[in-house]
PDB file of all heavy atoms in Angstrom:
ATOM      1  N   ARG O  30       0.835  -1.215   0.000  1.00 96.00           N
ATOM      2  CA  ARG O  30       0.000   0.000   0.000  1.00 96.00           C
ATOM      3  C   ARG O  30       0.862   1.254   0.000  1.00 96.00           C
ATOM      4  O   ARG O  30       0.606   2.199  -0.736  1.00 96.00           O
ATOM      5  CB  ARG O  30      -0.924   0.018   1.209  1.00 96.00           C
ATOM      6  CG  ARG O  30      -2.073  -0.922   1.115  1.00 96.00           C
ATOM      7  CD  ARG O  30      -3.019  -0.758   2.304  1.00 96.00           C
ATOM      8  NE  ARG O  30      -4.004  -1.804   2.278  1.00 96.00           N
ATOM      9  CZ  ARG O  30      -4.249  -2.626   3.275  1.00 96.00           C
ATOM     10  NH1 ARG O  30      -3.596  -2.512   4.418  1.00 96.00           N
ATOM     11  NH2 ARG O  30      -5.158  -3.565   3.159  1.00 96.00           N
ATOM     12  N   ARG O  31       1.863   1.248   0.845  1.00 97.00           N
ATOM     13  CA  ARG O  31       2.730   2.421   0.973  1.00 97.00           C
ATOM     14  C   ARG O  31       3.546   2.658  -0.301  1.00 97.00           C
ATOM     15  O   ARG O  31       3.685   3.787  -0.752  1.00 97.00           O
ATOM     16  CB  ARG O  31       3.662   2.232   2.162  1.00 97.00           C
ATOM     17  CG  ARG O  31       4.403   3.484   2.533  1.00 97.00           C
ATOM     18  CD  ARG O  31       5.060   3.412   3.901  1.00 97.00           C
ATOM     19  NE  ARG O  31       5.255   2.102   4.446  1.00 97.00           N
ATOM     20  CZ  ARG O  31       6.450   1.558   4.702  1.00 97.00           C
ATOM     21  NH1 ARG O  31       7.546   2.235   4.474  1.00 97.00           N
ATOM     22  NH2 ARG O  31       6.535   0.352   5.222  1.00 97.00           N
ATOM     23  N   VAL O  32       4.054   1.598  -0.892  1.00 96.00           N
ATOM     24  CA  VAL O  32       4.898   1.723  -2.082  1.00 96.00           C
ATOM     25  C   VAL O  32       4.084   2.119  -3.317  1.00 96.00           C
ATOM     26  O   VAL O  32       4.551   2.882  -4.154  1.00 96.00           O
ATOM     27  CB  VAL O  32       5.667   0.406  -2.326  1.00 96.00           C
ATOM     28  CG1 VAL O  32       6.342   0.386  -3.665  1.00 96.00           C
ATOM     29  CG2 VAL O  32       6.682   0.180  -1.215  1.00 96.00           C
ATOM     30  N   THR O  33       2.874   1.617  -3.433  1.00 97.00           N
ATOM     31  CA  THR O  33       2.068   1.918  -4.625  1.00 97.00           C
ATOM     32  C   THR O  33       1.317   3.241  -4.524  1.00 97.00           C
ATOM     33  O   THR O  33       0.897   3.788  -5.543  1.00 97.00           O
ATOM     34  CB  THR O  33       1.054   0.788  -4.903  1.00 97.00           C
ATOM     35  OG1 THR O  33       0.221   0.607  -3.756  1.00 97.00           O
ATOM     36  CG2 THR O  33       1.758  -0.517  -5.249  1.00 97.00           C
ATOM     37  N   ARG O  34       1.148   3.769  -3.340  1.00 97.00           N
ATOM     38  CA  ARG O  34       0.368   5.002  -3.125  1.00 97.00           C
ATOM     39  C   ARG O  34       0.777   6.152  -4.045  1.00 97.00           C
ATOM     40  O   ARG O  34      -0.088   6.819  -4.609  1.00 97.00           O
ATOM     41  CB  ARG O  34       0.457   5.426  -1.662  1.00 97.00           C
ATOM     42  CG  ARG O  34      -0.531   6.510  -1.278  1.00 97.00           C
ATOM     43  CD  ARG O  34      -0.527   6.781   0.224  1.00 97.00           C
ATOM     44  NE  ARG O  34      -0.963   5.592   0.953  1.00 97.00           N
ATOM     45  CZ  ARG O  34      -0.314   5.048   1.981  1.00 97.00           C
ATOM     46  NH1 ARG O  34       0.791   5.585   2.431  1.00 97.00           N
ATOM     47  NH2 ARG O  34      -0.785   3.969   2.575  1.00 97.00           N
ATOM     48  N   PRO O  35       2.070   6.439  -4.263  1.00 98.00           N
ATOM     49  CA  PRO O  35       2.427   7.597  -5.099  1.00 98.00           C
ATOM     50  C   PRO O  35       2.410   7.320  -6.608  1.00 98.00           C
ATOM     51  O   PRO O  35       2.675   8.234  -7.399  1.00 98.00           O
ATOM     52  CB  PRO O  35       3.839   7.951  -4.629  1.00 98.00           C
ATOM     53  CG  PRO O  35       4.404   6.679  -4.111  1.00 98.00           C
ATOM     54  CD  PRO O  35       3.225   5.911  -3.554  1.00 98.00           C
ATOM     55  N   LEU O  36       2.079   6.119  -7.029  1.00 98.00           N
ATOM     56  CA  LEU O  36       2.103   5.804  -8.456  1.00 98.00           C
ATOM     57  C   LEU O  36       1.027   6.570  -9.220  1.00 98.00           C
ATOM     58  O   LEU O  36      -0.063   6.806  -8.704  1.00 98.00           O
ATOM     59  CB  LEU O  36       1.913   4.307  -8.674  1.00 98.00           C
ATOM     60  CG  LEU O  36       2.992   3.395  -8.100  1.00 98.00           C
ATOM     61  CD1 LEU O  36       2.611   1.939  -8.316  1.00 98.00           C
ATOM     62  CD2 LEU O  36       4.343   3.704  -8.704  1.00 98.00           C
ATOM     63  N   ALA O  37       1.366   6.912 -10.478  1.00 98.00           N
ATOM     64  CA  ALA O  37       0.411   7.613 -11.335  1.00 98.00           C
ATOM     65  C   ALA O  37       0.762   7.331 -12.790  1.00 98.00           C
ATOM     66  O   ALA O  37       1.899   6.986 -13.117  1.00 98.00           O
ATOM     67  CB  ALA O  37       0.460   9.112 -11.065  1.00 98.00           C
ATOM     68  N   GLY O  38      -0.223   7.462 -13.665  1.00 98.00           N
ATOM     69  CA  GLY O  38      -0.004   7.268 -15.094  1.00 98.00           C
ATOM     70  C   GLY O  38       0.204   5.808 -15.434  1.00 98.00           C
ATOM     71  O   GLY O  38      -0.378   4.915 -14.815  1.00 98.00           O
ATOM     72  N   GLU O  39       1.041   5.559 -16.445  1.00 98.00           N
ATOM     73  CA  GLU O  39       1.352   4.186 -16.833  1.00 98.00           C
ATOM     74  C   GLU O  39       2.465   3.648 -15.952  1.00 98.00           C
ATOM     75  O   GLU O  39       3.457   4.327 -15.702  1.00 98.00           O
ATOM     76  CB  GLU O  39       1.776   4.129 -18.302  1.00 98.00           C
ATOM     77  CG  GLU O  39       0.642   4.385 -19.249  1.00 98.00           C
ATOM     78  CD  GLU O  39       1.033   4.140 -20.690  1.00 98.00           C
ATOM     79  OE1 GLU O  39       2.219   3.913 -20.987  1.00 98.00           O
ATOM     80  OE2 GLU O  39       0.139   4.185 -21.522  1.00 98.00           O
ATOM     81  N   VAL O  40       2.286   2.409 -15.502  1.00 98.00           N
ATOM     82  CA  VAL O  40       3.249   1.769 -14.613  1.00 98.00           C
ATOM     83  C   VAL O  40       3.772   0.513 -15.293  1.00 98.00           C
ATOM     84  O   VAL O  40       2.988  -0.269 -15.839  1.00 98.00           O
ATOM     85  CB  VAL O  40       2.580   1.400 -13.263  1.00 98.00           C
ATOM     86  CG1 VAL O  40       3.503   0.568 -12.402  1.00 98.00           C
ATOM     87  CG2 VAL O  40       2.134   2.655 -12.539  1.00 98.00           C
ATOM     88  N   LEU O  41       5.080   0.320 -15.268  1.00 98.00           N
ATOM     89  CA  LEU O  41       5.701  -0.908 -15.744  1.00 98.00           C
ATOM     90  C   LEU O  41       6.109  -1.712 -14.522  1.00 98.00           C
ATOM     91  O   LEU O  41       6.924  -1.262 -13.723  1.00 98.00           O
ATOM     92  CB  LEU O  41       6.929  -0.599 -16.604  1.00 98.00           C
ATOM     93  CG  LEU O  41       7.802  -1.800 -16.991  1.00 98.00           C
ATOM     94  CD1 LEU O  41       7.002  -2.809 -17.815  1.00 98.00           C
ATOM     95  CD2 LEU O  41       9.031  -1.317 -17.744  1.00 98.00           C
ATOM     96  N   GLU O  42       5.518  -2.880 -14.362  1.00 98.00           N
ATOM     97  CA  GLU O  42       5.866  -3.732 -13.228  1.00 98.00           C
ATOM     98  C   GLU O  42       6.597  -4.964 -13.748  1.00 98.00           C
ATOM     99  O   GLU O  42       6.010  -5.838 -14.384  1.00 98.00           O
ATOM    100  CB  GLU O  42       4.619  -4.139 -12.434  1.00 98.00           C
ATOM    101  CG  GLU O  42       5.001  -4.863 -11.175  1.00 98.00           C
ATOM    102  CD  GLU O  42       3.855  -5.112 -10.223  1.00 98.00           C
ATOM    103  OE1 GLU O  42       2.821  -4.426 -10.311  1.00 98.00           O
ATOM    104  OE2 GLU O  42       4.003  -6.016  -9.383  1.00 98.00           O
ATOM    105  N   ILE O  43       7.880  -5.007 -13.469  1.00 97.00           N
ATOM    106  CA  ILE O  43       8.723  -6.133 -13.876  1.00 97.00           C
ATOM    107  C   ILE O  43       8.765  -7.107 -12.709  1.00 97.00           C
ATOM    108  O   ILE O  43       9.062  -6.723 -11.583  1.00 97.00           O
ATOM    109  CB  ILE O  43      10.131  -5.649 -14.257  1.00 97.00           C
ATOM    110  CG1 ILE O  43      10.022  -4.692 -15.448  1.00 97.00           C
ATOM    111  CG2 ILE O  43      11.041  -6.824 -14.585  1.00 97.00           C
ATOM    112  CD1 ILE O  43      11.300  -3.994 -15.800  1.00 97.00           C
ATOM    113  N   GLY O  44       8.458  -8.370 -12.992  1.00 95.00           N
ATOM    114  CA  GLY O  44       8.333  -9.356 -11.922  1.00 95.00           C
ATOM    115  C   GLY O  44       6.934  -9.316 -11.335  1.00 95.00           C
ATOM    116  O   GLY O  44       6.741  -9.365 -10.135  1.00 95.00           O
ATOM    117  N   PHE O  45       5.947  -9.215 -12.204  1.00 97.00           N
ATOM    118  CA  PHE O  45       4.543  -9.056 -11.821  1.00 97.00           C
ATOM    119  C   PHE O  45       4.035 -10.224 -10.988  1.00 97.00           C
ATOM    120  O   PHE O  45       3.192 -10.055 -10.108  1.00 97.00           O
ATOM    121  CB  PHE O  45       3.702  -8.903 -13.097  1.00 97.00           C
ATOM    122  CG  PHE O  45       2.266  -8.594 -12.866  1.00 97.00           C
ATOM    123  CD1 PHE O  45       1.877  -7.333 -12.480  1.00 97.00           C
ATOM    124  CD2 PHE O  45       1.304  -9.571 -13.055  1.00 97.00           C
ATOM    125  CE1 PHE O  45       0.532  -7.037 -12.283  1.00 97.00           C
ATOM    126  CE2 PHE O  45      -0.040  -9.290 -12.870  1.00 97.00           C
ATOM    127  CZ  PHE O  45      -0.423  -8.018 -12.481  1.00 97.00           C
ATOM    128  N   GLY O  46       4.524 -11.408 -11.252  1.00 95.00           N
ATOM    129  CA  GLY O  46       4.126 -12.593 -10.486  1.00 95.00           C
ATOM    130  C   GLY O  46       2.636 -12.844 -10.528  1.00 95.00           C
ATOM    131  O   GLY O  46       2.009 -12.832 -11.588  1.00 95.00           O
ATOM    132  N   SER O  47       2.035 -13.018  -9.356  1.00 97.00           N
ATOM    133  CA  SER O  47       0.608 -13.326  -9.268  1.00 97.00           C
ATOM    134  C   SER O  47      -0.246 -12.071  -9.105  1.00 97.00           C
ATOM    135  O   SER O  47      -1.426 -12.168  -8.797  1.00 97.00           O
ATOM    136  CB  SER O  47       0.357 -14.285  -8.101  1.00 97.00           C
ATOM    137  OG  SER O  47       0.750 -13.677  -6.886  1.00 97.00           O
ATOM    138  N   GLY O  48       0.352 -10.913  -9.300  1.00 97.00           N
ATOM    139  CA  GLY O  48      -0.423  -9.668  -9.277  1.00 97.00           C
ATOM    140  C   GLY O  48      -0.791  -9.172  -7.893  1.00 97.00           C
ATOM    141  O   GLY O  48      -1.814  -8.509  -7.727  1.00 97.00           O
ATOM    142  N   LEU O  49       0.038  -9.456  -6.904  1.00 98.00           N
ATOM    143  CA  LEU O  49      -0.288  -9.039  -5.542  1.00 98.00           C
ATOM    144  C   LEU O  49      -0.386  -7.521  -5.381  1.00 98.00           C
ATOM    145  O   LEU O  49      -1.055  -7.040  -4.465  1.00 98.00           O
ATOM    146  CB  LEU O  49       0.743  -9.599  -4.552  1.00 98.00           C
ATOM    147  CG  LEU O  49       0.654 -11.102  -4.300  1.00 98.00           C
ATOM    148  CD1 LEU O  49       1.863 -11.584  -3.502  1.00 98.00           C
ATOM    149  CD2 LEU O  49      -0.635 -11.457  -3.585  1.00 98.00           C
ATOM    150  N   ASN O  50       0.243  -6.755  -6.266  1.00 97.00           N
ATOM    151  CA  ASN O  50       0.158  -5.295  -6.163  1.00 97.00           C
ATOM    152  C   ASN O  50      -1.138  -4.737  -6.754  1.00 97.00           C
ATOM    153  O   ASN O  50      -1.526  -3.610  -6.444  1.00 97.00           O
ATOM    154  CB  ASN O  50       1.342  -4.620  -6.866  1.00 97.00           C
ATOM    155  CG  ASN O  50       2.634  -4.816  -6.117  1.00 97.00           C
ATOM    156  OD1 ASN O  50       2.642  -4.999  -4.908  1.00 97.00           O
ATOM    157  ND2 ASN O  50       3.734  -4.782  -6.837  1.00 97.00           N
ATOM    158  N   VAL O  51      -1.798  -5.497  -7.583  1.00 97.00           N
ATOM    159  CA  VAL O  51      -2.970  -5.000  -8.323  1.00 97.00           C
ATOM    160  C   VAL O  51      -4.025  -4.335  -7.433  1.00 97.00           C
ATOM    161  O   VAL O  51      -4.474  -3.234  -7.742  1.00 97.00           O
ATOM    162  CB  VAL O  51      -3.594  -6.115  -9.199  1.00 97.00           C
ATOM    163  CG1 VAL O  51      -4.917  -5.686  -9.784  1.00 97.00           C
ATOM    164  CG2 VAL O  51      -2.632  -6.513 -10.304  1.00 97.00           C
ATOM    165  N   PRO O  52      -4.427  -4.929  -6.323  1.00 96.00           N
ATOM    166  CA  PRO O  52      -5.467  -4.276  -5.510  1.00 96.00           C
ATOM    167  C   PRO O  52      -5.028  -2.958  -4.873  1.00 96.00           C
ATOM    168  O   PRO O  52      -5.857  -2.220  -4.362  1.00 96.00           O
ATOM    169  CB  PRO O  52      -5.774  -5.304  -4.414  1.00 96.00           C
ATOM    170  CG  PRO O  52      -5.198  -6.584  -4.878  1.00 96.00           C
ATOM    171  CD  PRO O  52      -4.084  -6.249  -5.814  1.00 96.00           C
ATOM    172  N   HIS O  53      -3.753  -2.667  -4.949  1.00 97.00           N
ATOM    173  CA  HIS O  53      -3.224  -1.479  -4.273  1.00 97.00           C
ATOM    174  C   HIS O  53      -2.903  -0.316  -5.215  1.00 97.00           C
ATOM    175  O   HIS O  53      -2.494   0.738  -4.741  1.00 97.00           O
ATOM    176  CB  HIS O  53      -1.976  -1.865  -3.467  1.00 97.00           C
ATOM    177  CG  HIS O  53      -2.227  -3.000  -2.535  1.00 97.00           C
ATOM    178  ND1 HIS O  53      -3.041  -2.887  -1.415  1.00 97.00           N
ATOM    179  CD2 HIS O  53      -1.829  -4.288  -2.576  1.00 97.00           C
ATOM    180  CE1 HIS O  53      -3.105  -4.053  -0.816  1.00 97.00           C
ATOM    181  NE2 HIS O  53      -2.383  -4.920  -1.499  1.00 97.00           N
ATOM    182  N   TYR O  54      -3.100  -0.500  -6.510  1.00 97.00           N
ATOM    183  CA  TYR O  54      -2.839   0.608  -7.429  1.00 97.00           C
ATOM    184  C   TYR O  54      -3.821   1.731  -7.134  1.00 97.00           C
ATOM    185  O   TYR O  54      -5.029   1.505  -7.059  1.00 97.00           O
ATOM    186  CB  TYR O  54      -3.005   0.192  -8.890  1.00 97.00           C
ATOM    187  CG  TYR O  54      -2.029  -0.853  -9.373  1.00 97.00           C
ATOM    188  CD1 TYR O  54      -2.465  -1.915 -10.144  1.00 97.00           C
ATOM    189  CD2 TYR O  54      -0.679  -0.776  -9.081  1.00 97.00           C
ATOM    190  CE1 TYR O  54      -1.587  -2.866 -10.608  1.00 97.00           C
ATOM    191  CE2 TYR O  54       0.198  -1.737  -9.536  1.00 97.00           C
ATOM    192  CZ  TYR O  54      -0.247  -2.778 -10.300  1.00 97.00           C
ATOM    193  OH  TYR O  54       0.609  -3.726 -10.760  1.00 97.00           O
ATOM    194  N   PRO O  55      -3.330   2.953  -6.981  1.00 97.00           N
ATOM    195  CA  PRO O  55      -4.234   4.073  -6.715  1.00 97.00           C
ATOM    196  C   PRO O  55      -5.003   4.481  -7.973  1.00 97.00           C
ATOM    197  O   PRO O  55      -4.621   4.110  -9.088  1.00 97.00           O
ATOM    198  CB  PRO O  55      -3.287   5.181  -6.259  1.00 97.00           C
ATOM    199  CG  PRO O  55      -1.991   4.858  -6.906  1.00 97.00           C
ATOM    200  CD  PRO O  55      -1.928   3.359  -6.986  1.00 97.00           C
ATOM    201  N   PRO O  56      -6.059   5.255  -7.826  1.00 96.00           N
ATOM    202  CA  PRO O  56      -6.853   5.688  -8.983  1.00 96.00           C
ATOM    203  C   PRO O  56      -6.045   6.474 -10.022  1.00 96.00           C
ATOM    204  O   PRO O  56      -6.433   6.530 -11.182  1.00 96.00           O
ATOM    205  CB  PRO O  56      -7.937   6.568  -8.362  1.00 96.00           C
ATOM    206  CG  PRO O  56      -8.035   6.127  -6.941  1.00 96.00           C
ATOM    207  CD  PRO O  56      -6.651   5.673  -6.560  1.00 96.00           C
ATOM    208  N   ALA O  57      -4.933   7.066  -9.617  1.00 98.00           N
ATOM    209  CA  ALA O  57      -4.111   7.845 -10.557  1.00 98.00           C
ATOM    210  C   ALA O  57      -3.373   6.964 -11.563  1.00 98.00           C
ATOM    211  O   ALA O  57      -2.853   7.461 -12.564  1.00 98.00           O
ATOM    212  CB  ALA O  57      -3.114   8.704  -9.781  1.00 98.00           C
ATOM    213  N   VAL O  58      -3.324   5.661 -11.348  1.00 98.00           N
ATOM    214  CA  VAL O  58      -2.685   4.751 -12.306  1.00 98.00           C
ATOM    215  C   VAL O  58      -3.677   4.502 -13.442  1.00 98.00           C
ATOM    216  O   VAL O  58      -4.815   4.090 -13.212  1.00 98.00           O
ATOM    217  CB  VAL O  58      -2.271   3.426 -11.627  1.00 98.00           C
ATOM    218  CG1 VAL O  58      -1.795   2.422 -12.662  1.00 98.00           C
ATOM    219  CG2 VAL O  58      -1.192   3.678 -10.592  1.00 98.00           C
ATOM    220  N   THR O  59      -3.224   4.768 -14.665  1.00 98.00           N
ATOM    221  CA  THR O  59      -4.110   4.629 -15.822  1.00 98.00           C
ATOM    222  C   THR O  59      -3.954   3.298 -16.554  1.00 98.00           C
ATOM    223  O   THR O  59      -4.869   2.858 -17.234  1.00 98.00           O
ATOM    224  CB  THR O  59      -3.856   5.765 -16.822  1.00 98.00           C
ATOM    225  OG1 THR O  59      -2.477   5.737 -17.229  1.00 98.00           O
ATOM    226  CG2 THR O  59      -4.202   7.113 -16.216  1.00 98.00           C
ATOM    227  N   ARG O  60      -2.774   2.680 -16.404  1.00 98.00           N
ATOM    228  CA  ARG O  60      -2.532   1.404 -17.069  1.00 98.00           C
ATOM    229  C   ARG O  60      -1.290   0.773 -16.467  1.00 98.00           C
ATOM    230  O   ARG O  60      -0.360   1.472 -16.071  1.00 98.00           O
ATOM    231  CB  ARG O  60      -2.320   1.614 -18.568  1.00 98.00           C
ATOM    232  CG  ARG O  60      -2.107   0.330 -19.347  1.00 98.00           C
ATOM    233  CD  ARG O  60      -2.179   0.559 -20.829  1.00 98.00           C
ATOM    234  NE  ARG O  60      -0.930   1.099 -21.325  1.00 98.00           N
ATOM    235  CZ  ARG O  60      -0.478   0.914 -22.563  1.00 98.00           C
ATOM    236  NH1 ARG O  60      -1.212   0.257 -23.433  1.00 98.00           N
ATOM    237  NH2 ARG O  60       0.661   1.423 -22.934  1.00 98.00           N
ATOM    238  N   VAL O  61      -1.285  -0.556 -16.411  1.00 98.00           N
ATOM    239  CA  VAL O  61      -0.126  -1.287 -15.910  1.00 98.00           C
ATOM    240  C   VAL O  61       0.357  -2.228 -17.007  1.00 98.00           C
ATOM    241  O   VAL O  61      -0.437  -2.989 -17.572  1.00 98.00           O
ATOM    242  CB  VAL O  61      -0.471  -2.102 -14.641  1.00 98.00           C
ATOM    243  CG1 VAL O  61       0.714  -2.938 -14.198  1.00 98.00           C
ATOM    244  CG2 VAL O  61      -0.919  -1.174 -13.529  1.00 98.00           C
ATOM    245  N   LEU O  62       1.631  -2.136 -17.303  1.00 98.00           N
ATOM    246  CA  LEU O  62       2.280  -3.077 -18.218  1.00 98.00           C
ATOM    247  C   LEU O  62       2.987  -4.090 -17.331  1.00 98.00           C
ATOM    248  O   LEU O  62       3.877  -3.738 -16.558  1.00 98.00           O
ATOM    249  CB  LEU O  62       3.267  -2.357 -19.130  1.00 98.00           C
ATOM    250  CG  LEU O  62       2.670  -1.214 -19.937  1.00 98.00           C
ATOM    251  CD1 LEU O  62       3.752  -0.429 -20.648  1.00 98.00           C
ATOM    252  CD2 LEU O  62       1.660  -1.748 -20.922  1.00 98.00           C
ATOM    253  N   ALA O  63       2.568  -5.334 -17.396  1.00 97.00           N
ATOM    254  CA  ALA O  63       3.063  -6.372 -16.491  1.00 97.00           C
ATOM    255  C   ALA O  63       3.965  -7.339 -17.235  1.00 97.00           C
ATOM    256  O   ALA O  63       3.599  -7.837 -18.305  1.00 97.00           O
ATOM    257  CB  ALA O  63       1.879  -7.122 -15.895  1.00 97.00           C
ATOM    258  N   VAL O  64       5.132  -7.609 -16.655  1.00 96.00           N
ATOM    259  CA  VAL O  64       6.095  -8.528 -17.253  1.00 96.00           C
ATOM    260  C   VAL O  64       6.452  -9.600 -16.234  1.00 96.00           C
ATOM    261  O   VAL O  64       6.841  -9.279 -15.108  1.00 96.00           O
ATOM    262  CB  VAL O  64       7.379  -7.770 -17.676  1.00 96.00           C
ATOM    263  CG1 VAL O  64       8.400  -8.730 -18.264  1.00 96.00           C
ATOM    264  CG2 VAL O  64       7.054  -6.656 -18.648  1.00 96.00           C
ATOM    265  N   ASP O  65       6.291 -10.849 -16.625  1.00 94.00           N
ATOM    266  CA  ASP O  65       6.712 -11.958 -15.773  1.00 94.00           C
ATOM    267  C   ASP O  65       6.842 -13.205 -16.643  1.00 94.00           C
ATOM    268  O   ASP O  65       5.949 -13.473 -17.460  1.00 94.00           O
ATOM    269  CB  ASP O  65       5.713 -12.218 -14.648  1.00 94.00           C
ATOM    270  CG  ASP O  65       6.365 -13.022 -13.532  1.00 94.00           C
ATOM    271  OD1 ASP O  65       6.572 -14.234 -13.702  1.00 94.00           O
ATOM    272  OD2 ASP O  65       6.693 -12.404 -12.504  1.00 94.00           O
ATOM    273  N   PRO O  66       7.916 -13.964 -16.483  1.00 92.00           N
ATOM    274  CA  PRO O  66       8.098 -15.154 -17.316  1.00 92.00           C
ATOM    275  C   PRO O  66       7.272 -16.354 -16.882  1.00 92.00           C
ATOM    276  O   PRO O  66       7.166 -17.328 -17.620  1.00 92.00           O
ATOM    277  CB  PRO O  66       9.593 -15.457 -17.167  1.00 92.00           C
ATOM    278  CG  PRO O  66       9.929 -14.945 -15.807  1.00 92.00           C
ATOM    279  CD  PRO O  66       9.061 -13.717 -15.620  1.00 92.00           C
ATOM    280  N   SER O  67       6.659 -16.312 -15.712  1.00 92.00           N
ATOM    281  CA  SER O  67       5.979 -17.481 -15.168  1.00 92.00           C
ATOM    282  C   SER O  67       4.525 -17.580 -15.626  1.00 92.00           C
ATOM    283  O   SER O  67       3.691 -16.753 -15.262  1.00 92.00           O
ATOM    284  CB  SER O  67       6.011 -17.430 -13.636  1.00 92.00           C
ATOM    285  OG  SER O  67       5.186 -18.433 -13.095  1.00 92.00           O
ATOM    286  N   ALA O  68       4.223 -18.613 -16.380  1.00 91.00           N
ATOM    287  CA  ALA O  68       2.835 -18.853 -16.786  1.00 91.00           C
ATOM    288  C   ALA O  68       1.970 -19.160 -15.564  1.00 91.00           C
ATOM    289  O   ALA O  68       0.811 -18.757 -15.498  1.00 91.00           O
ATOM    290  CB  ALA O  68       2.769 -20.011 -17.783  1.00 91.00           C
ATOM    291  N   GLY O  69       2.547 -19.832 -14.573  1.00 93.00           N
ATOM    292  CA  GLY O  69       1.813 -20.125 -13.339  1.00 93.00           C
ATOM    293  C   GLY O  69       1.446 -18.849 -12.604  1.00 93.00           C
ATOM    294  O   GLY O  69       0.334 -18.713 -12.096  1.00 93.00           O
ATOM    295  N   GLY O  70       2.370 -17.906 -12.545  1.00 94.00           N
ATOM    296  CA  GLY O  70       2.087 -16.618 -11.921  1.00 94.00           C
ATOM    297  C   GLY O  70       0.999 -15.876 -12.661  1.00 94.00           C
ATOM    298  O   GLY O  70       0.105 -15.272 -12.050  1.00 94.00           O
ATOM    299  N   ARG O  71       1.047 -15.923 -13.978  1.00 93.00           N
ATOM    300  CA  ARG O  71       0.015 -15.243 -14.783  1.00 93.00           C
ATOM    301  C   ARG O  71      -1.355 -15.863 -14.544  1.00 93.00           C
ATOM    302  O   ARG O  71      -2.355 -15.156 -14.477  1.00 93.00           O
ATOM    303  CB  ARG O  71       0.391 -15.279 -16.268  1.00 93.00           C
ATOM    304  CG  ARG O  71       1.595 -14.392 -16.587  1.00 93.00           C
ATOM    305  CD  ARG O  71       1.804 -14.209 -18.074  1.00 93.00           C
ATOM    306  NE  ARG O  71       2.025 -15.448 -18.804  1.00 93.00           N
ATOM    307  CZ  ARG O  71       3.221 -15.988 -19.014  1.00 93.00           C
ATOM    308  NH1 ARG O  71       4.307 -15.416 -18.535  1.00 93.00           N
ATOM    309  NH2 ARG O  71       3.349 -17.104 -19.715  1.00 93.00           N
ATOM    310  N   ARG O  72      -1.409 -17.175 -14.387  1.00 95.00           N
ATOM    311  CA  ARG O  72      -2.696 -17.827 -14.088  1.00 95.00           C
ATOM    312  C   ARG O  72      -3.231 -17.358 -12.731  1.00 95.00           C
ATOM    313  O   ARG O  72      -4.415 -17.075 -12.588  1.00 95.00           O
ATOM    314  CB  ARG O  72      -2.555 -19.348 -14.101  1.00 95.00           C
ATOM    315  CG  ARG O  72      -2.524 -19.950 -15.500  1.00 95.00           C
ATOM    316  CD  ARG O  72      -2.661 -21.461 -15.458  1.00 95.00           C
ATOM    317  NE  ARG O  72      -1.590 -22.122 -14.736  1.00 95.00           N
ATOM    318  CZ  ARG O  72      -0.415 -22.462 -15.266  1.00 95.00           C
ATOM    319  NH1 ARG O  72      -0.153 -22.202 -16.525  1.00 95.00           N
ATOM    320  NH2 ARG O  72       0.494 -23.072 -14.525  1.00 95.00           N
ATOM    321  N   LEU O  73      -2.354 -17.268 -11.744  1.00 96.00           N
ATOM    322  CA  LEU O  73      -2.773 -16.816 -10.417  1.00 96.00           C
ATOM    323  C   LEU O  73      -3.204 -15.352 -10.443  1.00 96.00           C
ATOM    324  O   LEU O  73      -4.059 -14.934  -9.666  1.00 96.00           O
ATOM    325  CB  LEU O  73      -1.639 -16.998  -9.405  1.00 96.00           C
ATOM    326  CG  LEU O  73      -1.296 -18.438  -9.033  1.00 96.00           C
ATOM    327  CD1 LEU O  73      -0.036 -18.476  -8.178  1.00 96.00           C
ATOM    328  CD2 LEU O  73      -2.448 -19.096  -8.315  1.00 96.00           C
ATOM    329  N   ALA O  74      -2.611 -14.575 -11.323  1.00 97.00           N
ATOM    330  CA  ALA O  74      -2.930 -13.142 -11.406  1.00 97.00           C
ATOM    331  C   ALA O  74      -4.250 -12.869 -12.123  1.00 97.00           C
ATOM    332  O   ALA O  74      -4.821 -11.799 -11.971  1.00 97.00           O
ATOM    333  CB  ALA O  74      -1.811 -12.398 -12.137  1.00 97.00           C
ATOM    334  N   ALA O  75      -4.759 -13.815 -12.872  1.00 97.00           N
ATOM    335  CA  ALA O  75      -5.939 -13.596 -13.717  1.00 97.00           C
ATOM    336  C   ALA O  75      -7.119 -13.020 -12.946  1.00 97.00           C
ATOM    337  O   ALA O  75      -7.780 -12.089 -13.412  1.00 97.00           O
ATOM    338  CB  ALA O  75      -6.333 -14.874 -14.436  1.00 97.00           C
TER     339      ALA O  75
END
């Protein structure tokens, strides 16, 4: 919560994993570009 609070605009998250940060993106974030090599992580993030 503390780390994502100041985010705004487009965000690039490298090591997205299962998307644990997703519920914490503030309204000022307009889009997230997520990068992660794990198909298992992407399934969990869905």
Side-chain angles (χ1 to χ4, degrees):
R30 286 185 188 125
R31 191 166 19 116
V32 169
T33 57
R34 192 173 297 130
L36 297 176
E39 290 188 352
V40 172
L41 171 61
E42 187 171 340
I43 298 172
F45 186 75
S47 61
L49 288 170
N50 289 333
V51 171
H53 306 291
Y54 296 136
V58 172
T59 58
R60 182 169 80 152
V61 176
L62 304 171
V64 178
D65 199 285
S67 171
R71 290 191 301 270
R72 282 191 299 275
L73 290 172

